[in-house]
Amino acid sequence: MARAGPAWRLLLLLAIGVVLPTWLSSAKVSSLIERISDPKDLKKLLRTRNNVLVLYSKSEAAAENHLRLLSTVAQAVKGQGTICWVDCGDAESRKLCKKMKVDLSPKDKKVELFHYQDGAFHMEYDRAVTFKSIVAFLKDPKGPPLWEEDPGAKDVVHIDSEKDFRRLLKKEDKPLLMMFYAPWCSMCKRIMPHFQKAATQLRGHFVLAGMNVYPSEFENIKEEYSVRGYPTICYFEKGRFLFQYDNYGSTAEDIVEWLKNPQPPQPQVPETPWADEGGSVYHLTDDDFDHFVKEHSSVLVMFHAPSSDVLAAVDATVNKALAERFHISEFPTLKYFKNGEKLAVPALRTKKKFIEWMQNPEAPPPPEPTWEEQPTSVLHLAGDNFRDTLKKKKHTLVMFYAPWCPHCKKVIPHFTTTAETFKDDRKIACAAVDCVKDTNQDLCQQEAVKAYPTFHYYHYGKLIEKYDSDRTEVGFTNFIRTLREGDLERLGKRKEEL
């Protein structure tokens, strides 16, 4: 049989209805982008995926550029986020778009990007429509925008990879000031506006660049340029590193002035560490801590930072293993050890209090009972009973927490009072999971708990949404009452029908 010619093949494709529009076939739209027109399909998708970006378009042609971009994004966030497309131009999808409150009627509006998280609408995507920005957003939907998304940072050269960094050093003849930073760093956020203002003032004469080196892939760069904290700002001439710029409290004017005559940091007279001043206080380290508190029957330990010196002491900024072990989150923090066992310490913030208590430290006040040990109406769940308990309750608000977390401590009284409010309703429960316990760590990981506290609402054991509203008794109570009133409203309608 003779092979079919191009015309016959085209007719065959037309006959079976698989010919795509020319623009769509040439755009190489990723198979990871699902086209949806049925409301039930979208509802199912939002119920089964917790991080969804939906492209709504006025027509197929209007979606062309976005689909090309989102095809590359979909590959980059595979397994972390889901992208789908709804063409509001056809009759069936038009109903879906109306139901999802998508308005593409204005002449200048061709597409909308809506983000849904944990089954509910999160926000209209309003950041830069670029590969890097959308990928960063889908990897952290509630994270801050990228530095380069700030219009004021247009004159800062933003570096994404080690390859681009090496290329910049090789080709750039102008003096270069490079800021190595981390997105979460508060000091970085403070200096960024000044850095970008200086970049604009010095445009054409100097290059000011920024690079997020927090990810582990940049360990080589951090080692090479001694990046021990954020930000670290390095000065280069003709691709050669000369020295660091260490005035992190500077303004744009300070940076401009310094670049007129760049000089290495001046050696500072080192502050004498408390440990070197002598005295009767034993200064402990990661290496000798355990031995010391076991060897001495009664030890009061103060975890401190060098600048907050107020008698054994641990510099928690140096001995980080100990600071993490004892959950030190603020300075100073006092811990009392009796025969190597940690006991509670009363408020000792004055010299008089220190002396009075140390004269009789043999009977320290009894330790405060843990939240779980206190008689409350909160259900304290663990990995072995979590699922079975939640399946028996119609509405359960669960607080995932860590006992040492300051934010958790603040919210516990509000959450406990809320549980007391609904204690007589057998369908409603307020539950808590201590994610620090070994038996609960797998559970917290399965429930995607990444920060403390995290609140999840479950319906008969099924995760419905993440609670992100007011963390007070009023906020929790109103949320649960809304759920209960919704049940009563549905019950009333059912009675009317009968």
Side-chain angles (χ1 to χ4, degrees):
M1 180 178 176
R3 295 178 63 186
W8 281 105
R9 285 201 296 270
L10 179 59
L11 287 172
L12 179 62
L13 289 171
L14 284 169
I16 62 175
V18 297
V19 173
L20 295 173
T22 305
W23 65 265
L24 190 57
S25 59
S26 63
K28 296 182 180 178
V29 177
S30 171
S31 60
L32 296 173
I33 297 180
E34 184 175 351
R35 182 169 179 172
I36 294 179
S37 57
D38 188 334
K40 292 182 180 178
D41 291 339
L42 182 57
K43 186 177 181 181
K44 180 180 179 181
L45 185 88
L46 298 181
R47 190 174 65 248
T48 56
R49 308 289 177 85
N50 61 4
N51 184 20
V52 181
L53 186 67
V54 181
L55 170 67
Y56 297 96
S57 67
K58 186 175 286 187
S59 64
E60 288 187 342
E64 177 180 358
N65 292 334
H66 280 74
L67 283 173
R68 285 182 177 142
L69 172 62
L70 292 176
S71 291
T72 59
V73 172
Q75 295 289 342
V77 299
K78 184 177 180 181
Q80 297 174 279
T82 301
I83 300 175
C84 58
W85 168 41
V86 178
D87 173 20
C88 299
D90 67 63
E92 186 178 9
S93 299
R94 195 174 295 120
K95 296 178 182 177
L96 170 58
C97 295
K98 185 176 181 180
K99 185 174 183 179
M100 301 306 288
K101 299 181 180 179
V102 178
D103 182 14
L104 294 171
S105 58
K107 291 183 178 180
D108 60 341
K109 185 173 286 188
K110 296 182 178 180
V111 299
E112 287 274 27
L113 280 169
F114 283 5
H115 183 256
Y116 303 85
Q117 193 164 28
D118 298 324
F121 174 77
H122 172 220
M123 64 176 289
E124 180 180 347
Y125 180 81
D126 58 357
R127 289 168 53 174
V129 184
T130 64
F131 170 80
K132 187 178 177 184
S133 293
I134 299 177
V135 168
F137 172 78
L138 284 174
K139 289 186 175 180
D140 186 10
K142 294 185 179 180
L146 301 175
W147 186 11
E148 63 203 66
E149 294 180 40
D150 185 340
K154 65 183 187 316
D155 294 314
V156 175
V157 177
H158 299 279
I159 303 299
D160 299 329
S161 65
E162 183 171 351
K163 183 179 179 180
D164 290 342
F165 172 66
R166 304 294 180 193
R167 185 184 294 119
L168 178 66
L169 293 183
K170 187 175 181 180
K171 74 171 187 178
E172 188 54 67
D173 292 329
K174 293 186 284 292
L176 167 68
L177 196 62
M178 168 64 72
M179 183 196 294
F180 297 112
Y181 69 93
W184 47 262
C185 158
S186 57
M187 183 70 76
C188 304
K189 293 176 183 177
R190 194 214 69 80
I191 198 174
M192 279 175 175
H194 301 285
F195 195 82
Q196 61 195 41
K197 185 178 178 182
T200 299
Q201 294 180 25
L202 297 168
R203 183 175 53 198
H205 303 284
F206 293 85
V207 173
L208 275 68
M211 184 176 184
N212 171 17
V213 294
Y214 179 66
S216 58
E217 64 192 90
F218 299 117
E219 291 301 323
N220 290 339
I221 289 179
K222 286 185 274 191
E223 183 65 28
E224 183 175 353
Y225 296 103
S226 301
V227 179
R228 302 288 182 261
Y230 303 105
T232 294
I233 303 177
C234 296
Y235 178 71
F236 298 82
E237 286 184 358
K238 296 189 181 299
R240 186 167 63 93
F241 169 63
L242 296 184
F243 36 75
Q244 290 188 359
Y245 174 78
D246 64 351
N247 183 8
Y248 300 115
S250 62
T251 63
E253 291 68 28
D254 294 329
I255 296 172
V256 171
E257 189 64 29
W258 183 83
L259 283 172
K260 291 179 180 178
N261 182 29
Q263 296 293 324
Q266 297 300 310
Q268 297 179 350
V269 178
E271 180 182 346
T272 304
W274 187 14
D276 296 340
E277 291 180 356
S280 58
V281 175
Y282 291 91
H283 292 270
L284 308 180
T285 67
D286 290 335
D287 297 327
D288 62 9
F289 181 88
D290 288 322
H291 177 74
F292 187 89
V293 296
K294 289 178 180 177
E295 185 181 44
H296 296 78
S297 63
S298 181
V299 183
L300 177 65
V301 179
M302 176 181 183
F303 291 81
H304 73 103
S307 59
S308 59
D309 297 342
V310 177
L311 96 189
V314 175
D315 184 343
T317 64
V318 175
N319 302 283
K320 295 181 180 179
L322 278 175
E324 183 176 346
R325 173 179 162 189
F326 292 106
H327 307 299
I328 307 302
S329 59
E330 57 184 13
F331 305 111
T333 292
L334 298 175
K335 302 288 183 182
Y336 176 69
F337 294 83
K338 177 71 173 178
N339 296 322
E341 181 182 355
K342 179 171 69 70
L343 302 176
V345 179
L348 301 171
R349 298 298 185 186
T350 66
K351 181 178 179 180
K352 182 180 179 182
K353 291 291 184 182
F354 268 114
I355 295 173
E356 287 178 354
W357 186 75
M358 285 304 294
Q359 286 175 342
N360 183 28
E362 297 301 320
E368 287 285 330
T370 65
W371 186 21
E372 193 168 349
E373 293 171 341
Q374 297 173 27
T376 71
S377 297
V378 175
L379 302 178
H380 290 274
L381 306 180
D384 56 356
N385 67 355
F386 181 81
R387 308 289 175 196
D388 291 340
T389 303
L390 263 57
K391 286 178 181 177
K392 299 174 184 176
K393 298 292 183 179
K394 188 166 188 178
H395 305 296
T396 307
L397 187 60
V398 179
M399 174 177 170
F400 297 91
Y401 73 101
W404 48 262
C405 158
H407 298 295
C408 303
K409 293 177 182 178
K410 183 177 180 181
V411 80
I412 281 174
H414 299 281
F415 196 74
T416 302
T417 305
T418 303
E420 191 68 21
T421 301
F422 297 99
K423 67 179 181 178
D424 295 327
D425 192 324
R426 298 175 64 181
K427 294 182 179 180
I428 295 174
C430 291
V433 175
D434 179 355
C435 291
V436 173
K437 288 186 176 181
D438 292 340
T439 54
N440 295 342
Q441 289 179 4
D442 287 344
L443 169 63
C444 294
Q445 186 174 2
Q446 291 167 10
E447 299 304 298
V449 177
K450 298 179 180 178
Y452 305 120
T454 290
F455 297 89
H456 285 175
Y457 162 60
Y458 295 84
H459 182 265
Y460 286 125
K462 184 177 182 180
L463 175 60
I464 301 300
E465 64 179 285
K466 183 176 181 179
Y467 176 86
D468 278 326
S469 299
D470 191 15
R471 296 177 177 180
T472 64
E473 178 189 347
V474 173
F476 295 135
T477 302
N478 287 344
F479 175 74
I480 295 174
R481 279 177 176 160
T482 300
L483 298 172
R484 187 168 65 177
E485 288 167 5
D487 290 342
L488 293 174
E489 184 179 346
R490 285 190 290 273
L491 180 61
K493 288 181 179 179
R494 196 174 297 120
K495 288 182 177 179
E496 288 177 7
E497 292 171 357
L498 294 172

